[in-house]
């Protein structure tokens, strides 16, 4: 007789089989620890991924409920234009909070976020690839779709 294995729901990993990505949103930000660095706008790039525990409604319905990423980008832009930021980590978390609130208000609390912010051209000659900070609210045991 084959052994049966039973798992409590809490022991199963969270599966996110559906992902939506918005790539390389470029904006100009006052970002830098030092005053002279923040004095002029510098290019930053924002990428975010939304992980769904089940396929979103619009997956099977061309007029179904969807997440309007254009509205998210406008919110990001309004935030970046009106403020200065010393640290890329702080800026990333502020952008994450805006996106999290946007999703939560629309009943998308189950959707998880992966976000990367890159300072594209730091004023450091040796740095050719910029500086990037990534934040993610996926659970530690998440099983996700491979991100290309």
């Amino acid at each position: 007789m084959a052994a049966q294995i039973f798992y409590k729901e809490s022991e199963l990993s969270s599966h996110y089989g559906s992902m939506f990505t918005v790539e390389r949103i470029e904006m100009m930000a006052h970002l830098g620890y030092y005053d002279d660095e923040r004095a002029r706008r510098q290019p930053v790039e924002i990428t975010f991924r939304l992980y769904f525990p089940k396929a979103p409604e619009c997956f099977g319905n061309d007029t179904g409920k969807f997440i309007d990423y254009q509205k998210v980008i406008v919110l990001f832009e309004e935030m970046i234009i009106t403020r200065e930021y010393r640290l890329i980590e702080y800026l990333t978390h502020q952008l994450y909070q805006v996106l999290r609130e946007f999703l939560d208000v629309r009943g998308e609390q189950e959707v998880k976020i992966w976000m990367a912010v890159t300072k594209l051209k730091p004023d450091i000659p040796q740095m050719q690839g910029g500086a990037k900070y990534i934040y993610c609210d996926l659970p530690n045991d998440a099983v996700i779709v491979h991100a290309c």
Side-chain angles (χ1 to χ4, degrees):
M1 184 168 151
Q4 291 185 352
I5 301 174
F6 296 96
Y7 295 98
K8 295 179 187 172
E9 190 171 326
S10 62
E11 292 175 339
L12 296 174
S13 61
S14 304
H15 185 265
Y16 296 86
S18 197
M19 176 184 69
F20 182 79
T21 303
V22 177
E23 301 271 349
R24 303 180 65 188
I25 305 160
E26 192 168 321
M27 297 186 179
M28 298 298 285
H30 288 283
L31 175 63
Y33 188 77
Y34 302 104
D35 292 341
D36 61 332
E37 190 180 11
R38 270 190 329 280
R40 57 182 165 56
R41 291 190 185 277
Q42 300 178 54
V44 296
E45 183 178 273
I46 305 160
T47 295
F48 65 87
R49 299 176 185 151
L50 303 178
Y51 289 94
F52 298 84
K54 59 183 187 233
E57 182 182 323
C58 56
F59 181 72
N61 179 351
D62 200 28
T63 59
K65 180 179 163 189
F66 69 101
I67 295 170
D68 189 340
Y69 55 87
Q70 182 178 1
K71 288 183 179 178
V72 172
I73 293 169
V74 168
L75 291 172
F76 287 173
E77 189 171 46
E78 288 171 355
M79 193 181 91
I80 287 177
I81 287 173
T82 59
R83 296 185 58 192
E84 292 184 358
Y85 300 90
R86 290 183 186 274
L87 302 172
I88 192 170
E89 298 89 343
Y90 182 77
L91 172 58
T92 303
H93 192 254
Q94 294 300 299
L95 292 167
Y96 162 80
Q97 294 285 44
V98 166
L99 181 53
R100 178 80 270 154
E101 183 178 333
F102 180 86
L103 294 171
D104 290 350
V105 164
R106 286 155 182 78
E108 301 287 356
Q109 293 87 354
E110 293 180 350
V111 174
K112 299 301 180 192
I113 300 168
W114 177 98
M115 178 175 285
V117 176
T118 306
K119 186 174 183 180
L120 293 172
K121 298 176 183 175
D123 196 17
I124 303 171
Q126 298 85 344
M127 285 183 71
Q128 299 303 307
K132 179 182 293 192
Y133 185 76
I134 299 171
Y135 180 76
C136 178
D137 67 2
L138 281 160
N140 290 336
D141 64 346
V143 176
I144 60 172
V145 214
H146 177 71
C148 303

